[in-house]
Amino acid sequence: MTMTNSFDQLNNRRNTRSYKWDDMKKLFGSSELLPLWVADMDFGSPPAVHKAVAERADMGLYGYTFFSDEYYGAISGWFSRRHGWSIDQKWIGNSPTVVTSISIAVELLSSPGDSVVIQTPVYPPFYEVIEDNGRVVAKNPLVSRNGRYEMDLPHLETLFQGGAKLMILCSPHNPGGRVWTEEELRAVGALCLQYGVMVISDEIHCDLTFPGHKHIPFASLSAELSDITVTCAAATKTFNLPGIQTSYYITSNKALKQKFDKRLQVLGLNYPHHFAEAAIVAAYTEGEEWLDGLLDYVKGNLDFAVDYLSAHLPEVKPLIPEGTYLLWVDCRGLGIEAGKLKAWMVEQAKVAFSLGSAFGTEGAGWLRMNLAAPRAIVEQALQQFCEAGRLALK
């Protein structure tokens, strides 16, 4: 199946073992839905990535491999150009997924029974990596003000005063789409330094920001914050490569980096995916123009979706994201019980959006819509959603 980088191109992903399209029946109870849920895109990856992976595949030999200096240079060069962060290549380690890195960080930076702070509603695996590691979730719920989420810093301080020594920061925030400002991040950093709190910063959406909003890597703010931070990131969200299991973590804390590397080795996770370097180097050295085009297209989808909801179903209120390709939508105005929202969505709207309650109790009555799809799919999904919504209101 040939993918193209024309974002309007309809790529048929059914019967390709696509989690998003082909696992829908198992998860939603129907295969006849428009899927705008899990955060992968319905766009082909950049042509340069396709070419590099195809050339690697054509070798016909898929043995053990390693990451070269070119790979580390591609990552550090990307962060320098796109985010103004100068990274020593020795700070970079490798892991199959960002969730793997976060889970290992929770294990290494806390003890069983310890509290780990998260800012809810938030990416569902954060709960799992805390609870399944025998730690306790300490919620610092975000506050909705003027149509966007803001941090509750006084409450955050009470959690640190109560003994929490580890925080998972989601930056940019999923599902709320906030691109945290330097002022907000510095305020969090000051509290962390004051109370001796380590930070796991999930920055997988860092490249996906809209005009007027700049991602600031948390660890780039100061040498002191860099030393207490593990940054978890990947090219997979940016360039639609999640099936090539590859991510990286960055920390200037030498002792922590050694522990991290050792833990991955013990778990047998220290060998790279055969296609990882080819894909990442091509993406980071030849993919910028594609990414700029993607961001323009997704912003167009966002503007279209917000306008469409406002015109056709104003009872539903989206938070306007500053980054990510996700739209967090408050559906409580439909008058549908939170526990019945999934059934209504599947049976009446015939769309598959992510259920807000999966992001924590604060997400009950909300849905998360993935806008990284051709406009025709986004438009059709919104049309079905709004028609069902109007019927629900009658």
Side-chain angles (χ1 to χ4, degrees):
M1 182 178 61
T2 301
M3 288 287 194
T4 112
N5 70 329
S6 167
F7 300 114
D8 279 322
Q9 173 79 26
L10 294 173
N11 295 299
N12 182 9
R13 299 182 68 191
R14 291 191 187 275
N15 303 313
T16 63
R17 296 196 304 281
S18 162
Y19 179 53
K20 183 178 185 178
W21 286 81
D22 295 332
D23 229 21
M24 210 166 24
K25 183 161 188 181
K26 189 189 298 180
L27 296 160
F28 290 92
S30 171
S31 56
E32 301 306 313
L33 311 174
L34 273 181
L36 285 85
W37 61 289
V38 68
D40 83 1
M41 308 186 204
D42 286 326
F43 306 131
S45 294
V49 172
H50 190 171
K51 180 172 179 283
V53 170
E55 287 173 356
R56 188 82 169 150
D58 284 345
M59 292 168 53
L61 270 163
Y62 311 119
Y64 290 117
T65 186
F66 63 93
F67 286 124
S68 74
D69 289 343
E70 186 181 12
Y71 165 82
Y72 293 103
I75 294 172
S76 61
W78 181 262
F79 274 90
S80 176
R81 289 194 312 278
R82 297 289 293 198
H83 303 296
W85 186 19
S86 180
I87 299 170
D88 185 325
Q89 293 179 28
K90 296 188 185 71
W91 299 353
I92 304 170
N94 301 287
S95 167
T97 72
V98 161
V99 174
T100 307
S101 300
I102 296 172
S103 184
I104 289 172
V106 167
E107 191 182 22
L108 293 177
L109 296 173
S110 64
S111 302
D114 284 355
S115 291
V116 181
V117 176
I118 56 176
Q119 295 179 307
T120 55
V122 77
Y123 183 50
F126 282 13
Y127 298 88
E128 295 161 16
V129 298
I130 295 169
E131 292 169 345
D132 293 348
N133 272 310
R135 277 65 167 171
V136 178
V137 170
K139 287 186 176 186
N140 173 225
L142 298 171
V143 179
S144 183
R145 284 197 191 100
N146 304 317
R148 68 173 197 166
Y149 281 134
E150 294 182 5
M151 296 188 191
D152 185 344
L153 292 170
H155 180 254
L156 181 64
E157 184 169 15
T158 65
L159 296 176
F160 293 167
Q161 288 169 338
K165 295 296 181 189
L166 182 61
M167 174 181 184
I168 307 177
L169 176 69
C170 195
S171 178
H173 187 264
N174 171 14
R178 273 304 313 279
V179 177
W180 305 116
T181 64
E182 181 174 346
E183 183 183 11
E184 288 170 311
L185 294 172
R186 285 196 183 279
V188 171
L191 289 173
C192 290
L193 291 170
Q194 182 181 346
Y195 291 99
V197 175
M198 299 288 287
V199 177
I200 305 165
S201 191
D202 175 355
E203 302 190 13
I204 196 168
H205 291 276
C206 66
D207 300 319
L208 303 167
T209 60
F210 298 128
H213 303 282
K214 178 175 169 50
H215 172 75
I216 299 167
F218 184 73
S220 73
L221 291 170
S222 72
E224 292 79 14
L225 289 176
S226 181
D227 199 50
I228 63 165
T229 303
V230 179
T231 302
C232 303
T236 53
K237 201 67 68 183
T238 307
F239 296 102
N240 204 28
L241 309 169
I244 298 179
Q245 298 261 290
T246 184
S247 79
Y248 46 85
Y249 50 92
I250 303 166
T251 182
S252 59
N253 186 318
K254 193 173 178 182
L256 178 56
K257 173 69 165 47
Q258 288 172 341
K259 280 187 192 173
F260 231 103
D261 292 346
K262 185 66 178 173
R263 187 66 184 134
L264 280 148
Q265 186 179 333
V266 166
L267 293 169
L269 300 175
N270 54 319
Y271 289 106
H273 190 292
H274 188 80
F275 295 101
E277 175 161 330
I280 288 4
V281 170
Y284 280 164
T285 58
E286 301 178 69
E288 281 190 76
E289 187 179 341
W290 179 93
L291 175 58
D292 291 339
L294 169 84
L295 291 170
D296 285 344
Y297 191 87
V298 171
K299 180 62 164 63
N301 277 355
L302 168 62
D303 293 342
F304 175 83
V306 170
D307 289 346
Y308 195 95
L309 287 169
S310 175
H312 298 278
L313 198 62
E315 293 80 4
V316 162
K317 303 196 182 304
L319 287 190
I320 310 302
E322 300 165 350
T324 80
Y325 49 73
L326 307 166
L327 185 63
W328 186 233
V329 183
D330 185 353
C331 300
R332 290 173 295 180
L334 292 176
I336 299 167
E337 288 178 40
K340 296 180 179 176
L341 189 58
K342 180 180 179 182
W344 170 82
M345 176 181 70
V346 169
E347 294 164 14
Q348 305 302 320
K350 300 196 182 307
V351 294
F353 300 164
S354 296
L355 210 61
S357 54
F359 297 80
T361 53
E362 299 81 4
W366 292 68
L367 294 170
R368 191 194 73 175
M369 181 181 181
N370 178 348
L371 296 172
R375 182 74 48 81
I377 291 178
V378 172
E379 186 172 354
Q380 181 65 37
L382 283 166
Q383 184 181 332
Q384 291 172 203
F385 179 75
C386 289
E387 283 176 2
R390 287 197 299 275
L391 286 173
L393 287 165
K394 281 185 177 177

